């Protein structure tokens, strides 16, 4: 209990610190008044805006205002687009989440399958081929994989689109690319690019865990009992490899969102990552600050969830705790 | 190996080389073809980057030597208008691709090495301080490290780059981009060093030689730098090599995304970014050769790092 409380408090602290960084960006990077009013302005305008924005209040009070605004999803107005940041972000979220979800499913299912396969057929040529290919996959930079895929499938074969999201269907506030053929076509290459790295990671982990488990006595007993290979491999062995695998998958969800920045930028996928890269290029501070806050909430939540999952799985952490 | 002393330099040098060549380390190197090949590739790439101004057939950043008529010459064929030949072809501006790669590699390697050096110095110092002093200093440093570890380093580097870009006045942005890049990649990568050095320092702290130094009243900084530091450095080498590969890739990624090296000082990542836009019109060589160079660089450093880790780790012997 004490441990859980400590972890939650720690996460809260992290968010406060990140909030402070985001707020300082707002407050000290250039004069907000300059940014908002432009060239033609009068002294009264400046005074009025300063009053409206609360820039004459003490720093902690301003920070408090920023935080309470942020919690309500209010991050001000984008310098570049002149629209509310929250509106822009809400617009971009579906694209990123759909991309991340598809690549996560791809990475997890293929990763586990290939991991089990290479562990069972350890000596087979196909398994060896997969293993050496995965080594290349780990050391290749993500953006090169994307560029290579575009070259092969879009330029050379001309099968798949190289940019954009295809046709999206609006379902209430959520725009989805899942309902059209062009949406799925556009999704394939970005999802592959984004999922490949995580896939190799999961595959290698599952393989090494499986090799460890397959050596143990209960697996031999299961075989001796005459169970089929499939039952032994999947019901007995794979199940016991899943604890570390779930942890890694949880932590990888965060990096999928981070790597989405790269993938989205290669494929001009209209999601949050592309928004963030453009914000950096054009020094659009409100967007940067909002993205920073959003991403840290996601990361901190994932980490907290994984840590709490540990407590559920590992009873030693429950009593006393380290 | 390195701690042996000899009063005269002349007597030291040949013997040192002899011991170095005779060492366990070299023996292991000679036994591993992968390590030798990757070392040779890496050394060749570094040397050609360092000597780029002398070996590059053209100076791609000298406007006088550029001729727009030379643009888009395919590799190893004569240009239709000028008859000029380029080994790896030329880009849209008529620049020789081979020369831009050599010059670009200089920037990639410079950023990579400097970022790792910066991360190393920062990480080692903080790790040493945290490990030796302990207490609240330790808690604060390691908490910051933990928090930073929750975020992928490429994201941290992007954020620092973005913030620095915002703080700086517009006219300095291109000029300072390389340095900002070094600092942001370095800052995103110090945690590994700090963790390892802190762990090793905690072990060394209890050893007799440290107690002896404390007893004769040596000041704390001297104990930390002169006594403990040399004994915690060996794992740092492995991390530094792996970090170098990561830093080179991180730099290329940032530059590829357009938030790194400016077009006036293109690194390999910038060249790939430029090459990508000619992919659809059929000028594949502008993209392919920089990409292959980056791959060779990243691969050789990665393989070297893996080999070093296996070699220096006594558990795996």
């Amino acid at each position: 209990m004490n441990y859980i409380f400590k972890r939650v408090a720690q996460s809260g602290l992290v968010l406060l610190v990140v909030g402070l960084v985001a707020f300082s960006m707002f407050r000290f990077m250039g004069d907000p008044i300059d940014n908002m009013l432009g060239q033609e302005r009068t002294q009264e305008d400046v005074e009025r805006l300063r009053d409206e924005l609360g820039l004459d209040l003490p720093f902690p009070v301003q920070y408090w205002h920023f935080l309470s605004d942020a919690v309500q999803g209010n991050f001000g107005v984008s310098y570049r687009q002149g629209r509310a940041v929250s509106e822009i972000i809400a617009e971009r979220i579906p694209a990123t989440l759909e991309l991340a979800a598809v690549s996560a499913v791809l990475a997890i299912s293929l990763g586990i399958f290939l991991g089990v396969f290479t562990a069972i057929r350890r000596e087979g040529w196909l398994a060896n081929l997969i293993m050496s290919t995965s080594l290349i996959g780990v050391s290749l930079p993500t953006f090169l994989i994307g560029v290579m895929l575009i070259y092969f499938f879009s330029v050379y074969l001309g099968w798949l689109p190289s940019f954009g999201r295809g046709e999206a269907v609006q379902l209430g506030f959520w725009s989805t690319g899942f309902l059209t053929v062009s949406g799925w076509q556009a999704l394939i290459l970005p999802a592959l690019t984004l999922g490949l790295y995580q896939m190799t990671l999961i595959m290698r982990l599952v393989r090494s865990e499986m090799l460890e488990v397959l050596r143990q006595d209960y697996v031999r007993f299961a075989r001796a009992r005459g169970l089929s290979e499939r039952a032994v491999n999947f019901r007995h062995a794979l199940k016991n490899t899943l604890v570390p695998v779930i942890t890694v998958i949880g932590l990888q969800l965060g990096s999928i969102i981070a790597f989405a920045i790269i993938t989205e930028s290669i494929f001009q996928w209209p999601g949050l990552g592309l928004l963030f890269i453009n914000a950096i290029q054009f020094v659009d501070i409100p967007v940067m600050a909002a993205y920073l806050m959003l991403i840290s909430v996601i990361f901190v939540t994932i980490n907290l969830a994984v840590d709490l999952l540990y407590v559920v799985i590992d009873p030693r952490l429950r009593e006393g705790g380290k | 190996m390195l701690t042996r002393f000899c009063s005269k330099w002349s007597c030291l040098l040949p013997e040192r080389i002899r011991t170095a060549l005779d060492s366990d380390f070299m023996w292991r190197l000679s036994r591993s073809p992968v390590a030798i090949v990757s070392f040779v590739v890496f050394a060749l790439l570094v040397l050609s980057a360092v000597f780029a101004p002398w070996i590059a057939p053209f100076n791609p950043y000298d406007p006088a030597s550029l001729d727009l008529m030379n643009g888009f010459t395919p590799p190893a064929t004569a240009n239709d208008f000028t008859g000029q030949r380029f080994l790896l072809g030329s880009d849209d501006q008529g620049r020789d691709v081979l020369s831009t790669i050599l010059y670009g590699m200089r920037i990639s390697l410079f950023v990579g090495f400097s970022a790792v050096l910066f991360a190393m110095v920062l990480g080692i110092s903080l790790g040493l301080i945290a490990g030796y002093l302990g207490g609240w200093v330790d808690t604060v440093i390691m908490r910051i490290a933990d928090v930073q570890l929750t975020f992928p380093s490429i994201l941290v580097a992007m954020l620092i780059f973005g913030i620095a870009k915002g703080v700086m006045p517009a006219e300095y942005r291109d000029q300072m981009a390389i340095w900002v890049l070094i600092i942001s990649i370095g800052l995103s990568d110090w945690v590994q060093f700090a963790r390892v050095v802190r762990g090793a320092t905690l072990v060394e702290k209890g050893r007799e030689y440290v107690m002896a130094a404390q007893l004769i009243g040596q000041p704390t900084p001297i104990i930390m730098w002169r006594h403990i530091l040399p004994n915690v450095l060996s794992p740092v080498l492995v991390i530094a090599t792996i970090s170098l590969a990561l830093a080179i890739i991180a730099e290329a990624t940032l530059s590829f995304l357009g938030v790194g090296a400016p077009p006036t000082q293109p690194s390999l990542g910038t060249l790939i970014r430029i090459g990508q836009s000619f992919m659809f019109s059929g000028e594949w060589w502008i993209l392919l050769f920089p990409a292959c160079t980056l791959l060779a660089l990243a691969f050789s450093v990665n393989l070297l790092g893996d080999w070093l880790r296996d070699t220096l780790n006594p558990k795996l012997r």
Side-chain angles (χ1 to χ4, degrees):
Chain A
M1 205 53 223
N2 195 13
Y3 172 79
I4 296 176
F5 180 73
K6 238 175 156 173
R7 281 295 290 121
V8 174
Q10 219 174 57
S11 311
L13 196 69
V14 171
L15 285 183
L16 276 182
V17 171
V18 175
L20 193 65
V21 172
F23 171 65
S24 319
M25 279 162 64
F26 253 136
R27 184 66 188 80
F28 300 111
M29 280 165 61
D31 189 352
I33 298 204
D34 264 356
N35 288 321
M36 295 173 88
L37 279 182
Q39 295 296 322
E40 291 137 30
R41 58 179 181 196
T42 59
Q43 194 56 38
E44 288 101 81
D45 279 345
V46 174
E47 292 299 321
R48 190 172 45 77
L49 194 63
R50 190 176 293 268
D51 201 48
E52 252 171 44
L53 293 175
L55 290 180
D56 43 4
L57 296 170
F59 185 84
V61 178
Q62 284 190 39
Y63 179 41
W64 173 247
H65 284 182
F66 171 81
L67 279 185
S68 50
D69 274 357
V71 169
Q72 291 162 32
N74 182 3
F75 286 99
V77 175
S78 158
Y79 294 163
R80 185 160 160 255
Q81 305 192 22
R83 289 194 298 150
V85 175
S86 50
E87 195 186 308
I88 302 176
I89 285 188
E91 217 173 80
R92 297 288 192 111
I93 278 183
T96 294
L97 286 186
E98 284 185 357
L99 174 62
V102 171
S103 25
V105 169
L106 207 70
I108 293 169
S109 51
L110 270 181
I112 290 181
F113 176 76
L114 288 178
V116 172
F117 178 79
T118 47
I120 298 171
R121 302 272 162 81
R122 191 149 57 121
E123 308 295 328
W125 63 271
L126 190 58
N128 279 328
L129 185 74
I130 294 174
M131 279 310 284
S132 20
T133 323
S134 80
L135 196 69
I136 301 173
V138 171
S139 13
L140 269 181
T142 315
F143 72 93
L144 267 187
I145 295 178
V147 170
M148 272 161 47
L149 286 176
I150 292 184
Y151 187 78
F152 191 68
F153 287 103
S154 306
V155 180
Y156 185 70
L157 293 175
W159 287 355
L160 298 166
S162 62
F163 66 91
R165 209 187 156 199
E167 223 173 305
V169 177
Q170 202 72 27
L171 292 177
F173 65 94
W174 188 277
S175 82
T176 177
F178 286 165
L179 295 176
T180 59
V181 178
S182 68
W184 277 103
Q185 279 175 340
L187 187 62
I188 297 175
L189 291 184
L192 261 181
T193 310
L194 186 54
L196 211 57
Y197 180 78
Q198 333 289 337
M199 190 194 88
T200 41
L201 216 64
I202 293 174
M203 177 191 121
R204 298 178 79 91
L205 183 74
V206 169
R207 175 177 183 270
S208 61
E209 291 288 327
M210 277 291 279
L211 288 180
E212 195 100 320
V213 169
L214 283 176
R215 270 206 299 263
Q216 284 176 17
D217 287 343
Y218 76 91
V219 172
R220 280 167 53 203
F221 276 127
R223 286 231 170 81
R225 268 164 59 203
L227 293 178
S228 68
E229 273 301 300
R230 172 182 291 198
V232 174
N233 288 332
F234 286 91
R235 206 164 308 148
H236 290 78
L238 182 64
K239 238 185 195 171
N240 281 289
T241 64
L242 284 184
V243 174
V245 173
I246 287 173
T247 323
V248 167
I249 289 175
L251 292 175
Q252 286 303 311
L253 280 181
S255 7
I256 281 195
I257 290 169
F259 281 114
I261 300 174
I262 300 166
T263 311
E264 286 179 10
S265 158
I266 302 169
F267 292 94
Q268 295 295 305
W269 186 262
L272 283 178
L274 190 61
L275 182 72
F276 177 62
I277 277 291
N278 289 337
I280 293 184
Q281 280 161 351
F282 295 96
V283 200
D284 192 344
I285 293 157
V287 175
M288 275 163 69
Y291 183 82
L292 176 60
M293 284 305 289
L294 187 72
I295 209 97
S296 30
V297 169
I298 295 175
F299 272 104
V300 168
T301 316
I302 290 174
N303 272 290
L304 189 65
V306 169
D307 274 7
L308 295 185
L309 212 65
Y310 266 147
V311 180
V312 176
I313 294 167
D314 191 341
R316 279 169 300 182
L317 278 170
R318 251 175 268 164
E319 298 124 27
K322 276 198 258 184
Chain B
M1 190 161 56
L2 288 174
T3 47
R4 201 178 302 165
F5 284 101
C6 191
S7 53
K8 275 183 230 150
W9 180 243
S10 52
C11 85
L12 179 83
L13 193 66
E15 196 216 328
R16 233 196 201 177
I17 290 175
R18 226 178 310 132
T19 7
L21 286 178
D22 205 29
S23 69
D24 195 29
F25 187 78
M26 290 308 284
W27 185 78
R28 275 170 199 284
L29 183 66
S30 70
R31 279 309 181 88
S32 164
V34 175
I36 293 176
V37 170
S38 45
F39 182 76
V40 168
V41 169
F42 180 63
L44 276 179
L45 288 173
V46 170
L47 285 178
S48 54
V50 169
F51 294 106
W54 292 277
I55 58 173
F58 300 88
N59 178 0
Y61 304 110
D62 173 18
S65 76
L66 293 184
D67 184 356
L68 280 181
M69 297 291 276
N70 279 331
F72 298 130
T73 316
T77 44
N79 184 284
D80 291 344
F81 306 107
T82 59
Q84 181 79 263
R85 280 169 187 274
F86 300 97
L87 186 59
L88 300 183
S90 71
D91 68 0
D92 56 328
Q93 316 256 339
R95 280 189 294 237
D96 175 38
V97 170
L98 176 63
S99 310
T100 52
I101 289 177
L102 290 174
Y103 277 84
M105 206 155 61
R106 284 188 116 188
I107 293 174
S108 291
L109 282 169
F110 176 70
V111 171
F113 272 114
S114 318
V116 170
L117 195 70
F118 177 58
M120 213 160 91
V121 171
L122 188 70
I124 290 176
S125 321
L126 288 177
L128 209 55
I129 291 170
Y132 189 72
L133 296 183
W136 66 269
V137 182
D138 183 29
T139 313
V140 169
I141 292 176
M142 291 332 280
R143 274 286 148 262
I144 296 175
D146 282 349
V147 170
Q148 197 179 321
L149 265 192
T150 47
F151 298 91
S153 57
I154 189 87
L155 188 69
V156 176
M158 273 180 204
L159 273 174
I160 299 170
F161 189 87
I163 293 173
K165 206 174 168 187
V167 173
M168 265 189 303
E171 60 267 29
Y172 292 118
R173 273 177 201 159
D174 268 10
Q175 241 179 327
M176 298 296 290
I178 296 287
W179 298 101
V180 172
L181 205 53
I182 290 172
I183 290 173
S184 39
I185 295 174
L187 275 181
S188 71
D189 205 33
W190 65 275
V191 177
Q192 305 289 342
F193 293 99
R195 288 196 144 191
V196 167
V197 169
R198 174 181 174 268
T201 307
L202 284 179
V203 176
E204 296 295 320
K205 204 163 78 167
R207 293 270 163 86
E208 285 91 347
Y209 72 91
V210 176
M211 287 185 214
Q214 283 166 343
L215 272 178
I216 59 170
Q218 295 255 318
T220 309
I222 299 280
I223 297 179
M224 273 167 30
W225 295 109
R226 294 276 291 280
H227 297 278
I228 297 183
L229 184 63
N231 289 302
V232 296
L233 278 183
S234 60
V236 167
L237 182 65
V238 176
I239 303 178
T241 322
I242 294 169
S243 284
L244 180 64
L246 292 178
I248 290 172
I249 290 178
E251 186 279 329
T253 306
L254 291 179
S255 298
F256 176 80
L257 296 178
V259 290
T264 49
Q265 287 168 294
S267 70
L268 287 178
T270 324
L271 292 178
I272 295 171
R273 176 187 173 81
I274 297 170
Q276 195 201 6
S277 48
F278 298 113
M279 188 164 69
F280 296 97
S281 47
E283 284 90 17
W284 48 271
W285 58 91
I286 308 179
L287 171 71
L288 182 72
F289 296 121
C292 288
T293 316
L294 177 68
L295 275 188
L297 200 58
F299 253 131
S300 56
V301 184
N302 248 334
L303 288 175
L304 268 183
D306 275 358
W307 175 78
L308 261 183
R309 187 183 52 202
D310 296 348
T311 304
L312 295 183
N313 187 351
K315 268 187 231 151
L316 291 175
R317 279 187 187 176

